[in-house]
Amino acid sequence: MQGADFWKDQQNAKKVSQAVSRLKEEVEVIEQIKKECKDLEELSRLSDGADVKKACDDLQKKIEKEEFRIFLSGKYDKNNALIEVFPRAGGQDAQDWATMLLRMYERYCQKKGFIVKILHQSFGDSGGPDGRIGTKSVTIEVEGNYAYGFLKGEQGVHRLVRISPFNSQKSRETSFALVNVLPEIEEDQSEIEVKSADLKLETFKSSGPGGQYVNKTESAIRITHIPSGIVVSCQTERMQMKNREHAMKILYAKLHQLRQESHQKKMKDIKGDFGPASWGDQIRSYVLHPYQMVKDVRTQVETSKTEEVLDGDLDEFINAQIKIKDD
């Protein structure tokens, strides 16, 4: 970074600067913990009361937080994450459930200090109570250290049981939504070569709920990878090149996922499928009626604090899944 020509390649310089910043942050945290350990040792000589206990508890929490880096050692765990949410069975209720999940993840990421950006959102039916508008599909980018490592365990089907706000009979309805979590992969990180000839690019006008245009120019972009049939879109940036850049990141992530799924299928064919169900199966239930409970079917973690969970309080579920995840 001290080199005279370091900033000539700004894209590479930015990546190096971010990597250095992450390393400095890790070192500073460990040095701070070491200092607090020494301070606590000194405090324990002078006092054995509530001050020492509180200091011990605070330090323990910091150490436990850093211990998670041991579990987040996957190739892309440090990367930004891409989260996709799609309604499954349940009609308008499922579209509303997808919007609720989007809000839940936005709140969780904000609490973690991650930066969240919606890259593409296809809106569902309107006319629900309180002007609620559902979501047919949405893709968000989560930017922050270890964003993918923390969020990758959220991949799967999420089930909601509640009294439907869209049903005049106030009947109990069950809705499903699929959450897909991908690591954001830059072109130079990918092991997959994407040829320009294999891409079909289309532009269109960005639109929002009710068909209103976000802008009047065709800045939104849709990219089809012809060999795989994968289609990705981005519409939130005003500049077409920015939308194309985001769309290519999504494409690389989806191609990586496709390769991983192909490898897992081959291994299952060789070994026989005696393990847990595939990523598309249900991972968590959110019951709002006739009782209040959120339960993760993989870790058996459960809580009756449904409002807090839907407001982004996911640490208990995510931390438990990280500890049992076998990469």
Side-chain angles (χ1 to χ4, degrees):
M1 289 179 69
Q2 299 300 321
D5 60 347
F6 177 71
W7 288 103
K8 284 184 179 179
D9 184 350
Q10 292 200 5
Q11 189 172 3
N12 183 63
K14 183 181 177 183
K15 291 177 184 176
V16 172
S17 298
Q18 289 174 342
V20 170
S21 178
R22 284 196 297 265
L23 291 170
K24 282 183 176 179
E25 182 185 335
E26 290 182 20
V27 171
E28 287 169 3
V29 169
I30 298 301
E31 291 299 328
Q32 180 62 27
I33 287 175
K34 284 182 179 179
K35 181 180 180 299
E36 291 186 29
C37 283
K38 290 181 180 178
D39 292 344
L40 183 57
E41 189 177 359
E42 184 65 27
L43 180 63
S44 67
R45 292 195 189 102
L46 302 173
S47 171
D48 58 357
D51 290 344
V52 174
K53 185 180 185 307
K54 184 179 184 305
C56 279
D57 291 342
D58 291 343
L59 184 57
Q60 181 67 23
K61 288 176 183 176
K62 287 184 180 180
I63 292 171
E64 287 175 355
K65 183 180 177 181
E66 290 308 303
E67 279 180 336
F68 271 96
R69 296 185 190 273
I70 297 169
F71 298 98
L72 302 178
S73 58
K75 182 175 181 180
Y76 297 113
D77 280 359
K78 289 186 178 182
N79 286 27
N80 297 338
L82 298 165
I83 302 178
E84 298 177 308
V85 184
F86 306 95
R88 295 284 288 267
Q92 200 168 8
D93 276 284
Q95 292 181 6
D96 187 55
W97 176 220
T99 302
M100 292 168 66
L101 285 172
L102 169 62
R103 177 183 177 275
M104 182 182 78
Y105 288 122
E106 286 179 321
R107 294 291 180 90
Y108 169 77
C109 292
Q110 288 165 5
K111 291 175 182 179
K112 297 290 287 186
F114 298 152
I115 299 171
V116 179
K117 179 188 291 185
I118 295 178
L119 300 181
H120 178 78
Q121 186 168 12
S122 176
F123 294 92
D125 301 325
S126 58
D130 305 318
R132 291 158 85 154
I133 298 174
T135 297
K136 288 183 178 178
S137 68
V138 63
T139 303
I140 65 172
E141 177 187 53
V142 182
E143 184 180 336
N145 290 343
Y146 294 94
Y148 176 66
F150 278 104
L151 289 162
K152 64 184 178 181
E154 290 300 291
Q155 182 164 286
V157 173
H158 296 244
R159 171 177 171 263
L160 173 70
V161 180
R162 63 172 174 175
I163 297 295
S164 172
F166 301 94
N167 192 320
S168 58
Q169 284 77 39
K170 301 296 180 184
S171 61
R172 189 173 68 178
E173 298 289 340
T174 301
S175 307
F176 298 88
L178 172 64
V179 174
N180 193 22
V181 185
L182 307 163
E184 187 177 85
I185 301 175
E186 301 280 355
E187 183 176 356
D188 58 1
Q189 284 184 302
S190 179
E191 300 169 359
I192 302 168
E193 181 185 1
V194 177
K195 299 177 182 177
S196 299
D198 291 338
L199 301 178
K200 177 185 175 184
L201 275 67
E202 301 170 274
T203 59
F204 58 98
K205 293 179 179 178
S206 302
S207 61
Q212 306 221 339
Y213 291 121
V214 174
N215 56 60
K216 296 181 180 180
T217 62
E218 292 194 349
S219 61
I221 195 160
R222 182 184 298 111
I223 299 177
T224 304
H225 183 248
I226 297 168
S228 65
I230 293 172
V231 180
V232 296
S233 301
C234 185
Q235 66 177 32
T236 52
E237 301 286 353
R238 291 187 175 275
M239 299 295 292
Q240 190 180 108
M241 285 301 296
K242 276 287 185 183
N243 282 326
R244 187 183 187 283
E245 184 182 322
H246 286 307
M248 286 302 296
K249 288 180 182 178
I250 300 171
L251 177 60
Y252 278 113
K254 283 185 170 290
L255 288 171
H256 168 73
Q257 182 186 53
L258 189 65
R259 174 180 282 190
Q260 292 292 102
E261 289 175 359
S262 176
H263 174 71
Q264 288 170 5
K265 184 178 184 301
K266 287 178 182 177
M267 293 304 294
K268 285 179 182 178
D269 289 343
I270 294 168
K271 297 180 184 178
D273 186 7
F274 300 108
S278 67
W279 65 271
D281 289 339
Q282 180 181 314
I283 65 165
R284 194 175 300 144
S285 288
Y286 307 72
V287 180
L288 307 184
H289 184 84
Y291 52 88
Q292 303 274 315
M293 186 182 71
V294 180
K295 181 174 182 178
D296 195 294
V297 300
R298 303 160 301 174
T299 61
Q300 302 304 308
V301 171
E302 62 179 72
T303 179
S304 60
K305 298 177 180 178
T306 55
E307 286 189 22
E308 288 89 338
V309 171
L310 293 173
D311 200 36
D313 189 3
L314 295 172
D315 281 331
E316 187 178 6
F317 294 97
I318 287 178
N319 293 350
Q321 176 60 20
I322 288 173
K323 287 183 177 180
I324 68 166
K325 186 74 173 176
D326 183 10
D327 287 327

